[in-house]
Amino acid sequence: MRLRDITIRARVLEAVREARITDIHTHLFSNNFPQLLLRGIDDLLTYHYLAAETLRWGVISPDGFWKRSKREQADLVWKTLFIDHSPVSEACRGVLTVLDRFGLDTASRDLNSYRKFFDALSADEHVDRVFELAGVDSVVMTNDPFDETERYTWQADPKIDERFKPALRLDSMLYEWESTEDFMREWGYNVSDYVDIKTCKEVRRFLINWIDNMNPVYIASSLPADFAFPDGSARSRLISECVLPIAEERGIPVALMIGVKRQVNSELKSAGDSVGAASLTSVERLCQLYPHNKFLITMLSRENQHELCVLARKFANLMIFGCWWFLNTPSLLEETTRMRLDLLGLSMIPQHSDSRVLDQLIYKWEHSKAVIGDALARQYENLAATGWNVTDEEIRRDVADLFGGNFSSFADR
Ligand code: FIX
Ligand code: ZN
């Protein structure tokens, strides 16, 4: 079927709206980890994005804010960002999108009525409703083997809800080898301060055990803006001697999230991280030196996006994913997605949600889909203008790849 130009935009927007999603990076947990599953209005309002926005108004010191209970923090965020000022930021609008999609009356501004609604939902019911409203089939979690609460669940060998896929996150090890090696020794791995040959062998054994236990869809780490590889550091040796060989042997991609500056304002705690432009040379080297490894790469700074796209044109083992964190705003998502479509066509993963609170899946995906749909519609309109026959079937095939297929083909999962 050939679509007339006039209908192309509508068809693309519809295909994107209806696309089922594989969300390849979140901080969500299934109900197998009950203490870690964040959900409902108080968790939405105390999201660290909104804590940062609240503290900017100077109505309370960071220390005073963190000393309050979660409910008191939520009250203050609501008053400061939604009542005393209009909630125009992306993170504020997101809360309202969620309330609206659940059928709650945002015009009432009645926080306690929203609390009543969420309190009445059981965790299982809540997960089902959010996945349905967001059009999400599965999400990838962020699983840290050094986190006590998580370890407890993993060791109990649970049957994890299949909609929640594990990812083995190694930040603790790659950022603070000195503190993690003590834990590893306690758990029976014969490792030492200096990452020598014997220690690498033990770290590989640790990774294999966790991969067997968790069955992760990828191994991941965030990395600082000054990440350099190789640079002779413990991190560099752990990556080259342990992570990459095991990932290659098991056919598991390595996800690197580059460009964070942790704790530029430590008083803000979880809201205190920032961004820095990184050098792409390290990613280039990784792709050159390890052609049999698969790299999922996202970069935090806007300045890195163009170079990253160009690099992805050179290496099929590099898959760009998502507009991460401070890039996940409509304005930056639009320019980044349009550039990716121009430079890479459809061979990329345009977005992940990074949701920390279950309900965020609803707004993060709805807002992202609107922007991605619009960017995609322009590309098909331009194709049609050349006389190319743009069919409904092909639009739907391409959209399904962007929202899930590209990840499963690349990760082979
Ligand atoms: O390192 C990460 O995975 C980051 O996404 C988070 O740590 C960050 O706090 C976040 O929630 C960003 O959206
Ligand atoms: Zn994240």
Side-chain angles (χ1 to χ4, degrees), residues 67 70 138 193 221 231 243-244 264 272 332 366 401 405:
K67 275 195 184 125
K70 187 194 282 184
S138 63
D193 288 7
S221 183
D231 67 354
V243 176
L244 294 176
V264 297
L332 296 173
E366 182 179 318
D401 283 345

Side-chain angles (χ1 to χ4, degrees), residues 69-286:
S69 68
K70 187 194 282 184
R71 194 185 169 99
E72 288 167 342
Q73 289 172 7
D75 284 337
L76 185 63
V77 170
W78 180 255
K79 179 175 181 319
T80 310
L81 297 181
F82 292 77
I83 304 299
D84 293 347
H85 308 277
S86 294
V88 299
S89 74
E90 169 62 10
C92 285
R93 176 170 75 110
V95 174
L96 300 179
T97 300
V98 170
L99 297 177
D100 187 52
R101 296 306 170 264
F102 272 118
L104 299 169
D105 179 13
T106 56
S108 77
R109 304 187 182 189
D110 181 0
L111 181 52
N112 284 328
S113 72
Y114 309 145
R115 284 186 168 126
K116 269 198 202 116
F117 169 81
F118 286 106
D119 286 348
L121 287 176
S122 73
D124 288 335
E125 192 188 346
H126 201 161
V127 170
D128 290 347
R129 283 193 67 178
V130 168
F131 272 57
E132 199 37 55
L133 280 168
V136 169
D137 279 341
S138 63
V139 303
V140 179
M141 302 182 281
T142 294
N143 302 106
D144 176 1
F146 293 94
D147 180 286
E148 273 310 308
T149 326
E150 274 199 59
R151 278 179 69 76
Y152 182 77
T153 300
W154 287 115
Q155 278 160 352
D157 193 20
K159 170 113 192 49
I160 303 280
D161 180 335
E162 290 203 340
R163 292 168 295 182
F164 293 79
K165 312 283 182 205
L168 178 56
R169 179 83 173 226
L170 296 178
D171 287 42
S172 319
M173 180 188 279
L174 296 180
Y175 269 84
E176 315 149 21
W177 171 246
E178 295 73 18
S179 53
T180 45
E181 49 132 344
D182 288 343
F183 286 112
M184 288 183 64
R185 264 200 299 272
E186 221 177 278
W187 301 331
Y189 295 93
N190 188 14
V191 293
S192 50
D193 288 7
Y194 184 71
V195 181
D196 55 12
I197 292 178
K198 178 186 73 53
T199 293
C200 286
K201 195 166 159 230
E202 285 296 89
V203 172
R204 287 195 293 270
R205 187 164 71 84
F206 171 85
L207 292 176
I208 288 169
N209 288 343
W210 273 94
I211 290 168
D212 288 344
N213 184 10
M214 215 182 239
N215 193 18
V217 290
Y218 57 73
I219 301 175
S221 183
S222 74
L223 291 162
D226 61 5
F227 170 60
F229 179 91
D231 67 354
S233 62
R235 174 194 289 142
S236 205
R237 285 199 301 283
L238 288 165
I239 293 176
S240 62
E241 304 306 313
C242 309
V243 176
L244 294 176
I246 298 297
E248 183 189 338
E249 190 182 301
R250 295 297 181 103
I252 303 176
V254 174
L256 301 178
M257 308 175 66
I258 306 169
V260 61
K261 276 194 185 168
R262 294 283 178 203
Q263 297 296 283
V264 297
N265 184 352
S266 57
E267 287 192 329
L268 297 193
K269 296 188 191 246
S270 56
D273 297 340
S274 189
V275 56
S279 159
L280 265 291
T281 313
S282 300
V283 182
E284 191 177 290
R285 267 194 215 124
L286 283 164

